[in-house]
Amino acid sequence: MDGETLTMIFFFGGLALMIIETLVPGGVSFFLGFSGLLVGALRWLGILEDPATSVITWLFTSVALILAMRPLLMKYWGGESSFKLANEDVEAMDQVVDVVEPVNAEDSTGRIRFQGISWQAKTLEGEISAGSKAKIRYRDNVTWIVEPVDELEE
């Protein structure tokens, strides 16, 4: 393979990789392509002549750019991300639920329907009959602690 062909492979390969970056974003193919353009330019200027040296230069330049520049670019032009602590217990507090089986304060045999699932429940005092509404106060392991809902709250 002659020197001009290898130089054109670096140029067009670099351009192709940079175009691929628009289809598959992430920053890696852009830096691989940029390194290809850089090595192609160095070969065109006559600074790099040996094919093995050109490939090694491309590899090291690519790795250096990815390690040095990608974190910086992702910091300023990275995709959207969000972080939210999920605490289902806090979100469940004060939710009005249906009582499926009678709920009392003595044991956890009572059941409520919350988010379409039947859960164990108990009250702190008194009893809530099946078919009525209850309000979630908090959770004790897998048992919801509920209280009766006043007619005014319904």
Side-chain angles (χ1 to χ4, degrees):
M1 179 183 313
D2 64 18
E4 285 185 27
T5 305
L6 187 58
T7 302
M8 289 299 126
I9 288 174
F10 275 110
F11 270 126
F12 291 121
L15 283 173
L17 284 168
M18 292 175 83
I19 291 170
I20 287 173
E21 179 67 30
T22 62
L23 302 173
V24 184
V28 175
S29 62
F30 175 80
F31 291 123
L32 293 174
F34 186 77
S35 297
L37 289 178
L38 183 66
V39 169
L42 291 174
R43 288 188 56 80
W44 184 69
L45 293 172
I47 297 172
L48 292 175
E49 292 184 11
D50 184 39
T53 306
S54 300
V55 171
I56 290 171
T57 303
W58 175 74
L59 287 172
F60 281 110
T61 307
S62 298
V63 170
L65 284 173
I66 290 170
L67 292 177
M69 298 300 292
R70 187 173 186 270
L72 182 68
L73 290 177
M74 294 305 286
K75 180 179 178 182
Y76 293 109
W77 288 290
E80 292 182 23
S81 64
S82 63
F83 179 76
K84 177 187 171 197
L85 290 172
N87 191 343
E88 293 87 9
D89 291 355
V90 172
E91 294 173 5
M93 279 197 267
D94 295 330
Q95 295 284 325
V96 177
V97 295
D98 294 321
V99 177
V100 179
E101 295 178 16
V103 179
N104 60 43
E106 285 83 40
D107 55 18
S108 300
T109 58
R111 301 202 62 86
I112 59 169
R113 182 157 315 279
F114 175 57
Q115 295 179 337
I117 302 171
S118 176
W119 295 86
Q120 289 180 347
K122 76 187 249 186
T123 63
L124 292 176
E125 59 185 41
E127 184 173 318
I128 306 172
S129 61
S132 58
K133 301 277 186 185
K135 185 186 286 190
I136 295 177
R137 289 284 97 197
Y138 61 93
R139 183 164 59 175
D140 183 20
N141 289 328
V142 294
T143 303
W144 289 106
I145 308 301
V146 296
E147 67 181 16
V149 175
D150 298 331
E151 284 108 26
L152 294 176
E153 290 183 47
E154 287 187 58

